[in-house]
Amino acid sequence: MSAVATPATAPVPRVEPAYTPSAIAEPFWVRALLITAALTFMTLFLFVPLVAVFVEAFKKGWQVYLTSITEPDAIAAIKLTLLTAVIAVPLNLVFGVAASWAIAKFEFRGKSILLTLIDLPFSVSPVISGLIYVLLFGAQGWFGEWLQAHDIKILFAVPGIVIATVFITFPFVARELIPLMQSQGSEEEEAALVLGASGFRTFWHVTLPNIKWGLLYGVILCNARAMGEFGAVSVVSGHIRGQTNTIPLQVEILYNEYNFAAAFAIASLLALLALVTLALKSFIEWRLHHAMSSTDQE
């Protein structure tokens, strides 16, 4: 009786160790040192100044704090800041959507120039921006005589503050939407147009739902910058108390007058705005990342 042949045992393949990035493979003391350095930097330059603002604001008690933020000049500064943001943010929203839609969805001459102009406020000092408007609308400016002849006041008035704020903040919405709309492509819009949808209907039902979180993210950043702008507004405002002072300018005046309690009380409002903006920014980033991940999976 012949023996039954058994197949040879297959060789066990050699398993290569998984690739480990060098940053993760660093010794523990290196990672601990880097984390400690980052936390120390954030503590010294972010957390400590932020805590100091609120400590100084409430140093003399709630009564002084409430009096400081409810005095007539403070109320006027708050109202002017809100008015400026209410005007500037919607204007930048319209411009940002239009510019990003044109850049992301179409090819045309001057596209690179438009992109460069959108980035202009990032590369020009806010003080220089304010001086440009002084050169244009000041008494000795290009349009100064014509404005005086028609009794139109732009500098040292609300229109000048709004114009300077619009210039400083107009890149934020566009710069958030352009990469988002470019990554999404134009296939859905083209399909909607082929099916007979109008341009407005295509934007409202196809484009806008896809960019809503990026749009909200840009609006939040735009609003935070509009309410906290100092340099350009300082040049064109004239520092007229109760009339052309925004919140940052009011803080500067109070601090220069050694009224530290009132200055820090007003500054705490901007600090609260920064914290709320940070929370909303984190939430929008999470939703935007979730939306983009869902799109990639589909």
Side-chain angles (χ1 to χ4, degrees), residues 54-298:
F54 289 98
V55 170
E56 291 294 330
F58 293 99
K59 190 174 184 179
K60 295 185 178 181
W62 274 97
Q63 188 62 38
V64 175
Y65 179 84
L66 293 177
T67 302
S68 300
I69 64 175
T70 55
E71 66 172 356
D73 289 345
I75 294 297
I78 294 171
K79 288 182 178 179
L80 179 58
T81 302
L82 295 176
L83 176 63
T84 303
V86 166
I87 298 174
V89 173
L91 290 176
N92 285 324
L93 186 151
V94 173
F95 168 79
V97 172
S100 57
W101 197 6
I103 292 172
K105 306 297 183 180
F106 303 99
E107 294 294 333
F108 55 90
R109 291 184 179 181
K111 184 175 180 178
S112 59
I113 298 177
L114 179 58
L115 281 169
T116 302
L117 292 177
I118 289 175
D119 291 334
L120 186 61
F122 288 148
S123 58
V124 176
S125 169
V127 175
I128 300 302
S129 304
L131 290 175
I132 291 174
Y133 289 114
V134 172
L135 176 63
L136 292 176
F137 305 121
Q140 306 300 322
W142 291 4
F143 306 108
E145 294 183 2
W146 184 88
L147 292 172
Q148 288 182 353
H150 292 79
D151 195 23
I152 299 175
K153 195 171 184 180
I154 294 181
L155 289 183
F156 312 142
V158 175
I161 295 174
V162 172
I163 292 173
T165 304
V166 169
F167 175 80
I168 291 298
T169 57
F170 78 77
F172 287 94
V173 176
R175 266 304 168 191
E176 291 300 325
L177 291 182
I178 289 173
L180 177 61
M181 296 178 75
Q182 286 177 333
S183 65
Q184 292 175 350
S186 57
E187 291 80 6
E188 294 185 14
E189 285 84 356
E190 292 173 355
L193 293 174
V194 169
L195 294 174
S198 63
F200 177 78
R201 191 177 182 85
T202 299
F203 171 78
W204 189 258
H205 293 282
V206 178
T207 304
L208 186 59
N210 290 334
I211 65 171
K212 60 182 179 181
W213 292 112
L215 179 62
L216 185 57
Y217 183 82
V219 167
I220 290 172
L221 295 181
C222 179
N223 180 71
R225 180 61 186 274
M227 298 183 70
E229 175 56 30
F230 177 83
V233 173
S234 177
V235 175
V236 302
S237 71
H239 294 266
I240 304 174
R241 300 187 72 154
Q243 297 183 30
T244 63
N245 273 345
T246 58
I247 293 178
L249 301 184
Q250 183 71 9
V251 172
E252 181 197 28
I253 289 178
L254 293 173
Y255 191 85
N256 290 337
E257 293 176 349
Y258 301 101
N259 190 353
F260 299 127
F264 280 103
I266 303 297
S268 69
L269 299 179
L270 289 177
L272 286 174
L273 171 66
L275 293 175
V276 172
T277 301
L278 181 62
L280 291 175
K281 175 177 174 290
S282 301
F283 174 74
I284 298 301
E285 283 180 338
W286 174 77
R287 288 304 302 263
L288 185 60
H289 176 74
H290 179 73
M292 294 182 68
S293 301
S294 301
T295 303
D296 294 339
Q297 291 177 0
E298 292 176 359

